[in-house]
Amino acid sequence: MGLLSILRKLRSDHHKELRILLLGLDNAGKTTILKSLASEKIDQITPTQGFNVKCVNTPGFKLNVWDIGGQRRIRPYWRNYFENTDLLIYVIDSTDQKRFEETGVELRELLEDEKLSGVPLLIFANKQDLFNAAKASDIANLLKLHTLNGRTWQIQACSALKGEGVQDGIEWVMKTAGAKAKKK
Amino acid sequence: MSKHLKVTFQCYVLINCIFWALLLVMRLKRFLLRYYPPGIILEYEQGGQVKTKSIDLLDLASTDDALSIAQNLSLKEPLITQTRIPQVQKLVTKLQEKIGSTGDRQFYLFKVLRAHILPLTNVAFNKSGSCFITGSYDRTCKVWDTASGEELQTLEGHRNVVYAIAFNNPYGNKVATGSFDKTCKLWNAETGQCYFTYRGHTSEIVCLSFNPQSTVIATGSMDATTKLWDVQSGQELSTLSGHSGEIICLSFNTHGDQVLTGSFDNTVCLWDVHTGQQTNTLIGHRGEIANAHFNFDCSLIATASMDRSCKLWDVRTGHCIATLRGHEDEVFDIGFNYTGQQIVSASADATARIYDAGTQKTIAVLEGHESEVSKVSFNPQGTHVLSGSADKSARIWDVNTGECMQVLEGHTDEIFSCVYNYEGDTILTGSKDNTCRIWR
């Protein structure tokens, strides 16, 4: 995927392709989710220093999924990728209780951005296979998701490592995006 | 008329004639050599103005007789008088020595530059190769010293990815940057000062170029237009509208009076730089255009397309001369060698192919990359091809045998850009791994 392919994915055809942004703090499991979606091996994942893009074919839609590195020093560059986003997936490490506040602040900031206004939001409460994982409903409360106005959202418990829950999330993506496409 | 008056009038006519003759007389000042492609530039004075004229020797072979070439040139070119023949012979010999050198060398990793905190986009050398620039997702463009690997300047100010970059070669004292923030900026390469921000595009800028005179910058955008900007005043000169899809590549011809634009609308358009009018449209590809170039004498255009083919076009008529087939997947890049006799293409099928521009036959298939090849170019000597791939390596190939001569390994993510310097003795690779590597 050279630079040219990236340009092509910038201007995805909204009737056939969905541009999905995968964001979240470092170590939340974004790249693992991306690989799991693309049915690739998930051993040897290292912190993403830039971004990964993969095309996922689903019935009816081609998903262009952009996984953007989550380290603090590169978070200011998330905005580079906001243009033409159809759906935002925000990934949370459900075991990293210490950083729930930090992840909440980052999410709020994202949702305030004009370019992402009205963009449907799916939250993956990842790492549910670990014993100390917080429940999805608790995370929803902590993040005060019920206070979100004018935005379709969903929280989905999952374990990218075990491949559990990811598909359920994607089905919601398809349903939501399908409804949006019809409206267009 | 009195005799006195008659003489005065005759004198006046005579002086006038001498004056006009002087204006028309061309006085040769000096010769300049151009190695790639081989040529001799004549610098001469006419009517008080210094002008240049280029004699292209694209077919020059190292075995040709230099004296007879010099004599031939003297017959055709009034500026080369009989007395100049020995001098021209020496210049031709010098060019032949350059041509004789194959550029054969073993490249080694000279420096790894942790250039940016996010992936690189494009890289470019100045003419002498003493400096180069890198663009990045971190919204900056950096100027580097090739010999020391030292960072000379960080050009900061764009609000999104810096994608397209260029030096105003051959001068190399200015840098233009095109960004996903929809603006183009012109910078002083030495101080890092921003001269102008060119605003007007309504989508990402993805390609740009200075004209050969470095007086105009052309920018191509995802908004389907190309804009021409004045380097001196910072003003927009014209908007080239006509494409129905994103502009993906653009290129000036050697004279700078024509510019071509390639688009995701499957066509290439030709434009008159002075009037901003569209002069021709090259229609025939069934997929998006990936890249397009003029050959050096501007008689041909080669295009690469997502329809898995390349095409060769006659610039004058706009007709397709030939379709270059063989690739089994999308073609991403294409280039002529400096003399325009060969064409190289790079494809998602993990190969590059070399074609003869005259016969349009395949000369060699370059096989070895393990993933798609996104960038390809000839070295200035035209003896080797450099390719960059998603398999994280760049490779050097022998044009005659098609054999891989060297694999430049070390990047930890795919290579987005790779270029030779003008001398062909240094290579630059820019990668998604946020680093840039110098090979020499």
Side-chain angles (χ1 to χ4, degrees):
Chain A
M1 163 113 106
L3 286 175
L4 196 66
S5 313
I6 293 174
L7 294 188
R8 268 164 115 198
K9 292 202 161 49
L10 272 186
R11 57 117 211 195
S12 57
D13 176 351
H14 292 277
H15 296 289
K16 288 180 239 145
E17 293 181 20
L18 288 178
R19 193 176 136 96
I20 295 175
L21 209 49
L22 202 54
L23 297 174
L25 301 191
D26 45 302
N27 200 38
K30 298 178 290 299
T31 306
T32 309
I33 286 177
L34 180 73
K35 294 218 168 191
S36 149
L37 277 175
S39 315
E40 284 177 22
K41 269 196 234 161
I42 44 178
D43 49 346
Q44 290 183 344
I45 289 179
T46 53
T48 303
Q49 302 292 332
F51 60 92
N52 301 298
V53 196
K54 293 211 185 297
C55 237
V56 181
N57 283 308
T58 60
F61 282 105
K62 208 159 124 191
L63 309 182
N64 280 329
V65 189
W66 292 66
D67 154 35
I68 317 296
Q71 290 166 43
R72 186 182 284 275
R73 67 186 186 127
I74 56 178
R75 277 178 225 158
Y77 298 95
W78 281 353
R79 288 176 53 89
N80 283 1
Y81 308 87
F82 288 177
E83 207 83 43
N84 300 323
T85 298
D86 293 308
L87 197 134
L88 174 65
I89 299 180
Y90 195 76
V91 185
I92 292 172
D93 174 351
S94 311
T95 69
D96 193 2
Q97 318 246 358
K98 266 187 280 174
R99 295 210 290 169
F100 279 171
E101 194 185 327
E102 185 183 343
T103 198
V105 169
E106 292 289 355
L107 178 61
R108 286 280 154 185
E109 226 169 86
L110 281 175
L111 300 182
E112 276 165 20
D113 196 284
E114 205 184 326
K115 282 182 183 159
L116 294 178
S117 79
V119 171
L121 167 72
L122 170 66
I123 293 177
F124 270 130
N126 193 21
K127 308 198 185 179
Q128 291 293 325
D129 53 307
L130 298 178
F131 74 96
N132 56 342
K135 276 198 272 180
S137 53
D138 293 345
I139 292 174
N141 284 334
L142 263 165
L143 298 179
K144 301 197 180 77
L145 293 181
H146 54 275
T147 64
L148 290 182
N149 288 324
R151 190 184 302 270
T152 319
W153 64 272
Q154 168 85 338
I155 187 161
Q156 172 69 48
C158 79
S159 161
L161 202 65
K162 305 267 184 231
E164 289 160 4
V166 175
Q167 211 46 50
D168 299 316
I170 292 307
E171 266 160 38
W172 181 83
V173 166
M174 307 297 304
K175 211 171 66 192
T176 309
K180 217 180 150 196
K182 261 182 214 157
K183 261 190 236 167
K184 277 184 190 170
Chain B
M1 212 185 293
S2 77
K3 198 177 175 191
H4 179 69
L5 210 63
K6 205 170 171 186
V7 170
T8 314
F9 181 72
Q10 278 172 346
C11 275
Y12 172 76
V13 169
L14 189 67
I15 288 166
N16 230 333
C17 283
I18 292 170
F19 175 75
W20 282 108
L22 276 176
L23 261 189
L24 291 173
V25 158
M26 301 190 290
R27 280 193 29 240
L28 184 64
K29 290 194 65 168
R30 59 173 175 163
F31 294 109
L32 302 166
L33 267 188
R34 186 191 59 216
Y35 291 129
Y36 309 115
I40 299 171
I41 318 290
L42 311 178
E43 200 177 274
Y44 63 98
E45 214 175 56
Q46 188 176 29
Q49 271 189 314
V50 178
K51 299 178 177 178
T52 60
K53 188 189 276 192
S54 143
I55 301 177
D56 302 332
L57 299 167
L58 303 187
D59 302 323
L60 184 67
S62 46
T63 50
D64 291 344
D65 179 38
L67 178 61
S68 61
I69 289 176
Q71 285 166 339
N72 259 328
L73 290 179
S74 161
L75 289 178
K76 279 186 244 160
E77 176 53 61
L79 276 172
I80 304 176
T81 50
Q82 284 289 323
T83 53
R84 296 284 192 175
I85 288 177
Q87 206 180 344
V88 172
Q89 183 189 355
K90 261 188 206 159
L91 293 176
V92 172
T93 310
K94 212 163 169 197
L95 283 177
Q96 285 175 314
E97 278 164 18
K98 252 314 194 217
I99 290 166
S101 84
T102 55
D104 272 343
R105 60 186 291 128
Q106 194 70 16
F107 285 89
Y108 67 95
L109 177 62
F110 175 62
K111 281 206 157 71
V112 182
L113 307 178
R114 313 259 156 228
H116 292 274
I117 62 166
L118 285 173
L120 272 71
T121 51
N122 285 294
V123 297
F125 275 111
N126 66 350
K127 171 89 187 262
S128 73
S130 62
C131 294
F132 65 88
I133 45 179
T134 54
S136 167
Y137 268 74
D138 71 10
R139 303 176 189 164
T140 69
C141 172
K142 292 189 179 188
V143 186
W144 305 85
D145 182 80
T146 314
S148 65
E150 195 190 335
E151 182 184 316
L152 299 175
Q153 293 296 337
T154 297
L155 310 180
E156 256 172 308
H158 279 298
R159 296 180 175 187
N160 210 322
V161 181
V162 176
Y163 190 87
I165 55 175
F167 266 112
N168 66 333
N169 288 336
Y171 310 105
N173 61 346
K174 294 191 180 81
V175 168
T177 53
S179 166
F180 283 4
D181 72 7
K182 307 167 189 173
T183 71
C184 169
K185 285 176 187 279
L186 181 68
W187 313 79
N188 180 319
E190 281 128 38
T191 66
Q193 178 208 345
C194 178
Y195 291 119
F196 300 117
T197 300
Y198 299 103
R199 293 173 212 277
H201 280 298
T202 56
S203 284
E204 296 89 344
I205 293 177
V206 300
C207 49
L208 66 78
S209 174
F210 281 93
N211 66 342
Q213 296 79 15
S214 291
T215 53
V216 175
I217 300 170
T219 54
S221 163
M222 301 289 275
D223 69 11
T225 71
T226 302
K227 284 177 185 283
L228 303 181
W229 314 88
D230 190 75
V231 167
Q232 203 61 43
S233 71
Q235 297 299 306
E236 180 182 326
L237 297 170
S238 53
T239 299
L240 315 181
S241 313
H243 279 294
S244 61
E246 296 80 356
I247 311 298
I248 253 21
C249 61
L250 62 84
S251 185
F252 281 95
N253 68 351
T254 310
H255 312 298
D257 56 351
Q258 257 190 337
V259 66
L260 69 74
T261 54
S263 166
F264 275 167
D265 72 7
N266 304 359
T267 73
V268 169
C269 284
L270 282 168
W271 312 82
D272 182 301
V273 170
H274 304 295
T275 65
Q277 293 300 305
Q278 189 174 332
T279 54
N280 228 329
T281 309
L282 314 183
I283 302 171
H285 276 299
R286 294 176 179 188
E288 296 101 321
I289 302 296
N291 208 348
H293 285 291
F294 286 100
N295 64 349
F296 180 79
D297 71 18
C298 308
S299 56
L300 299 174
I301 291 171
T303 54
S305 165
M306 303 294 185
D307 71 7
R308 304 181 174 198
S309 78
C310 303
K311 283 178 188 286
L312 208 54
W313 311 78
D314 183 318
V315 171
R316 210 172 36 82
T317 63
H319 291 152
C320 176
I321 298 168
T323 301
L324 311 177
R325 296 179 208 279
H327 281 302
E328 289 163 8
D329 207 336
E330 297 168 336
V331 190
F332 290 140
D333 200 11
I334 194 158
F336 281 100
N337 65 357
Y338 261 162
T339 57
Q341 287 143 348
Q342 290 177 349
I343 296 166
V344 65
S345 60
S347 163
D349 70 8
T351 72
R353 297 177 80 93
I354 302 174
Y355 301 93
D356 184 303
T359 65
Q360 293 109 33
K361 295 238 163 64
T362 300
I363 297 172
V365 182
L366 314 181
E367 288 172 308
H369 276 300
E370 288 158 18
S371 184
E372 58 184 48
V373 187
S374 56
K375 283 280 154 73
V376 76
S377 59
F378 284 96
N379 67 342
Q381 292 81 4
T383 51
H384 302 154
V385 158
L386 171 67
S387 59
S389 164
D391 73 5
K392 306 171 188 173
S393 78
R395 288 173 194 243
I396 301 167
W397 311 79
D398 185 302
V399 165
N400 292 317
T401 64
E403 266 169 50
C404 177
M405 302 173 66
Q406 221 185 323
V407 183
L408 307 180
E409 282 174 306
H411 278 296
T412 57
D413 209 330
E414 63 181 288
I415 291 181
F416 277 165
S417 45
C418 54
V419 292
Y420 275 107
N421 64 343
Y422 176 73
E423 284 289 333
D425 57 8
T426 310
I427 288 171
L428 210 56
T429 51
S431 164
K432 191 159 169 280
D433 72 8
N434 309 352
T435 75
C436 171
R437 286 168 191 249
I438 309 173
W439 315 77
R440 53 196 324 180

